[in-house]
Amino acid sequence: MTASCNKYYISAIIGFTFITLSGCAPVEREVPLATRIANATPAVAVTARGETAPVGTANADAADDPAIWRNAANPAQSLIVGTDKKAGLYVYGLDGKTRDFLDAGRVNNVDLRDDVVINGQKGILVAASDRNDLANAKVALFLLDPATAKLTALGKVDGGKGEAYGICLYRDAAATYAFIVLKDGTINQIALDTAGAAPTARIVRSMKLASQSEGCAADDRTGILYVAEEDAGLWRFDASATGSTTPVMIAAADGRNLVADAEGVAIAPIGEKDGYVLVSSQGDNAYVAYRLSDDSYAGRFRVGAGAIGGTEETDGIDLMLGDFGPAYPGGLFVAQDGHNAAAAQNFKLVAWDDIAKALGLR
């Protein structure tokens, strides 16, 4: 979490007018946690059914963002890719055990897509926001082998000038794209070409939010991109490469439903257009769901301590519906845990069925 000025957060609440205030208003997370929780809309509690091994970087804010790959042929053998933003990428099984680690340096967020043509064959493409050069953002690309759970580096492509922060992938009939979110709120849409021996890319357009942003998720069905601006709230954009670059606010970080920082973003797609978008309400250790159909508020939940510990100060999240085996028959929600008892940070695994039941979602 950061201690940044909250100017734009105030302007967003009073109606999308971009104004400049003299001085800085206090941000939500400078208020004691107990007060933030007391002021926020009540959140129902769920518990995790699993967790990953801790990342290798101890005593640091290191684990950050997960991405889920579902094995349709053998759901219990699905995989989770997670970042240690100080060191590289981990691959975990659903049992939480480490299957692979690749030293990729400072990679912050991660996403993946299956059935992408990679060097002439279809495979699982993994993309991470690469912060090894803070002045020049890169998208680091990898191939995930589902049989061995091993990652192979494919190369890096240009992400624009600035510090790489968030990333999410999007696919339409024309191409596979990476949206890279720079720390200053710039969002570059990058058309990827991984068909040849080395990946190539081009920035097809840029969008801008007013302040520090990170988490994002794109809905391949509806062509909508969702981005969290930490002190302002959750926005959506047209994800088409030729679409409007004007953002539409879904929810302000009002200290009630959504408590700054607004962090990780994930989508629960249902049918052709319906479902939910979830965002990490980091300021009060909660998660908020909004309906995709009309952007309306659908509920809040926390991952509390049970047989496995709960989550606090979550950065990245991911969510995928479908069968993931006996423990997660309806889908899997994965959240970074910022305080994993005495161990290094890790990721907690929650059954979507538990979340949907607690919130009364269909």
Side-chain angles (χ1 to χ4, degrees):
M1 294 187 296
T2 58
S4 58
C5 175
N6 205 19
K7 293 176 182 177
Y8 187 65
Y9 162 68
I10 296 172
S11 65
I13 289 178
I14 63 174
F16 304 107
T17 302
F18 288 25
I19 61 174
T20 301
L21 303 180
S22 60
C24 291
V27 293
E28 288 289 338
R29 57 203 178 282
E30 292 172 345
V31 177
L33 175 60
T35 303
R36 279 177 266 149
I37 292 175
N39 290 340
T41 305
V44 299
V46 299
T47 55
R49 297 191 183 186
E51 65 179 332
T52 69
V55 298
T57 303
N59 302 317
D61 180 20
D64 197 273
D65 191 46
I68 302 167
W69 175 73
R70 179 176 173 270
N71 187 331
N74 189 353
Q77 295 302 310
S78 300
L79 300 170
I80 300 164
V81 181
T83 61
D84 178 334
K85 61 187 177 186
K86 311 291 186 183
L89 287 169
Y90 283 88
V91 182
Y92 304 100
L94 294 189
D95 60 2
K97 294 180 179 179
T98 300
R99 301 287 302 277
D100 189 32
F101 172 75
L102 183 65
D103 181 357
R106 291 165 54 86
V107 286
N108 199 57
N109 280 195
V110 65
D111 200 6
L112 60 81
R113 284 294 187 276
D114 207 345
D115 293 327
V116 177
V117 177
I118 303 170
N119 197 14
Q121 296 184 336
K122 286 189 175 182
I124 305 167
L125 179 67
V126 176
S129 52
D130 188 295
R131 301 170 69 192
N132 288 292
D133 180 350
L134 298 183
N136 298 285
K138 299 290 184 183
V139 177
L141 299 171
F142 308 87
L143 173 67
L144 175 61
D145 184 337
T148 65
K150 301 295 185 183
L151 288 164
T152 301
L154 299 173
K156 300 179 183 181
V157 296
D158 179 41
K161 294 293 183 182
E163 182 177 351
Y165 220 43
I167 198 167
C168 51
L169 295 179
Y170 169 67
R171 183 163 49 188
D172 64 13
T176 297
Y177 300 92
F179 288 101
I180 187 162
V181 182
L182 306 185
K183 197 169 185 178
D184 69 352
T186 300
I187 305 157
N188 291 328
Q189 183 171 1
I190 303 166
L192 302 174
D193 185 351
T194 57
T200 60
R202 61 188 178 90
I203 298 175
V204 296
R205 64 172 183 156
S206 294
M207 296 161 282
K208 187 72 171 69
L209 293 173
S211 63
Q212 184 167 307
S213 306
E214 182 177 5
C216 69
D219 192 333
D220 294 350
R221 306 167 309 154
T222 61
I224 296 176
L225 168 69
Y226 299 90
V227 184
E229 185 181 0
E230 294 186 1
D231 288 341
L234 182 65
W235 301 85
R236 59 178 168 85
F237 290 87
D238 187 336
S240 170
T242 58
S244 169
T245 59
T246 302
V248 176
M249 178 164 273
I250 294 173
D254 59 1
R256 295 186 180 277
N257 289 346
L258 182 56
V259 183
D261 287 349
E263 287 280 350
V265 180
I267 296 169
I270 299 174
E272 294 184 357
K273 295 183 179 180
D274 290 339
Y276 305 91
V277 57
L278 275 65
V279 59
S280 170
S281 178
Q282 190 188 71
D284 74 324
N285 300 333
Y287 310 91
V288 194
Y290 299 93
R291 296 178 182 86
L292 298 182
S293 57
D294 58 6
D295 298 339
S296 63
Y297 169 78
R300 287 166 41 87
F301 67 96
R302 290 191 179 90
V303 180
I308 293 167
T311 59
E312 297 176 280
E313 296 188 0
T314 294
D315 288 322
I317 60 175
D318 198 16
L319 170 62
M320 184 173 287
L321 304 190
D323 180 15
F324 281 84
Y328 311 98
L332 175 64
F333 173 79
V334 180
Q336 181 259 5
D337 182 12
H339 293 282
N340 185 33
Q345 295 178 346
N346 72 344
F347 300 92
K348 298 297 194 287
L349 283 61
V350 183
W352 171 249
D353 289 347
D354 293 344
I355 296 170
K357 182 179 179 181
L359 294 178
L361 307 179
R362 64 181 180 85

